[in-house]
Amino acid sequence: KVRNTRKLDEITFDEMLELASLGAQVLNNRSVELAKKYGVELEVLSSINPVPGTVVKEETKVEGMLIKGVAKDTDVAVLTVKDVPDVPGMSFKIFSLLAQKNINVDIILQTTGRDGRKDMSFTVPLGDAESAVSALKNATSRIGGGDITVDKGCAKVSIVGAGMQSHSGVASTMFEALFNQNINIKMISTSEIKISVIIDEEDADKAVAAIHDAFIN
């Protein structure tokens, strides 16, 4: 799906943990957590070709690639609760309901309040979308919000790299790559070593290729 891919010589535990959690499907994220906890270096090897692989370790050379990889996850649904009262405690009421159902929430976006109301959007795993909608609809009186919508045609595309902590313009480069492909961004989430965007699922492969070209090539 992506041309001119490169094999990494090494990657940090934190970078690999982010990639594994964001849909890279290379290593199980729990295996990386345990390796990091006990300081056990991993090497990802080919089972077919006897060549050096990628070492996963605590620290890697500072020089090198700005980002280590691009990941795609289509196990995403975006829920929006409209016209929620813009008062303290509403976020707690909404997300405590989902926590009781053991539904993990990832990216959260809250609109600016208007007329004492706001819209709250967030992502959940695709398989939990209906349960989340049901739980929220059953608690409409407690929440005091309006319509609840769900968008299942989404994907999360992420870049990961410790190098972005000390370099400016990383987000700009990523967003420019998406703009050049006429891909609209619905939601954005960032951390020190990660930037994730929610886009239409039909654009996901195109987005991964464009972002990879912008950074890796």
Side-chain angles (χ1 to χ4, degrees):
K1 295 185 178 181
V2 178
R3 62 186 179 87
N4 299 327
T5 56
R6 302 184 196 175
K7 183 183 69 179
L8 299 174
D9 293 328
E10 56 184 17
I11 189 171
T12 66
F13 288 129
D14 288 338
E15 289 170 324
M16 190 63 240
L17 191 55
E18 288 283 12
L19 284 170
S21 301
L22 293 167
Q25 299 179 345
V26 176
L27 290 175
N28 182 283
N29 60 347
R30 181 63 176 153
S31 70
V32 183
E33 286 178 1
L34 289 171
K36 176 178 171 63
K37 179 178 179 180
Y38 295 106
V40 178
E41 289 192 4
L42 303 176
E43 186 173 6
V44 184
L45 294 162
S46 168
S47 59
I48 301 171
N49 300 314
V51 296
T54 300
V55 177
V56 187
K57 55 201 289 192
E58 185 62 42
E59 295 182 356
T60 61
K61 295 188 293 290
V62 176
E63 301 81 9
M65 301 161 67
L66 183 58
I67 71 164
K68 291 294 177 65
V70 188
K72 179 190 77 170
D73 184 4
T74 55
D75 183 23
V76 177
V78 176
L79 271 66
T80 301
V81 185
K82 298 184 177 180
D83 295 326
V84 176
D86 192 9
V87 296
M90 293 313 302
S91 297
F92 164 70
K93 289 180 180 179
I94 291 173
F95 296 117
S96 64
L97 276 172
L98 302 179
Q100 290 169 17
K101 298 290 185 180
N102 294 317
I103 298 173
N104 289 324
V105 175
D106 186 15
I107 302 175
I108 301 171
L109 177 65
Q110 179 177 295
T111 62
T112 304
R114 60 185 187 279
D115 299 326
R117 297 274 172 173
K118 61 189 176 185
D119 294 347
M120 187 86 73
S121 298
F122 50 90
T123 63
V124 299
L126 196 57
D128 291 330
E130 295 304 326
S131 297
V133 171
S134 177
L136 292 169
K137 284 185 175 179
N138 290 337
T140 300
S141 59
R142 178 184 171 193
I143 297 172
D147 292 340
I148 299 169
T149 63
V150 58
D151 183 356
K152 297 182 179 179
C154 298
K156 178 168 63 176
V157 174
S158 310
I159 59 173
V160 174
M164 67 176 67
Q165 295 182 75
S166 55
H167 289 77
S168 60
V170 177
S172 175
T173 299
M174 180 181 187
F175 300 156
E176 182 183 16
L178 296 175
F179 165 72
N180 288 337
Q181 295 296 320
N182 198 33
I183 297 173
N184 187 47
I185 300 172
K186 299 182 177 184
M187 302 173 77
I188 302 168
S189 174
T190 65
S191 73
E192 289 184 337
I193 64 171
K194 174 201 74 177
I195 301 174
S196 295
V197 295
I198 299 296
I199 59 175
D200 286 334
E201 184 177 359
E202 63 186 20
D203 292 329
D205 287 342
K206 183 168 63 171
V208 170
I211 294 168
H212 185 276
D213 279 347
F215 286 100
I216 310 300
N217 296 325

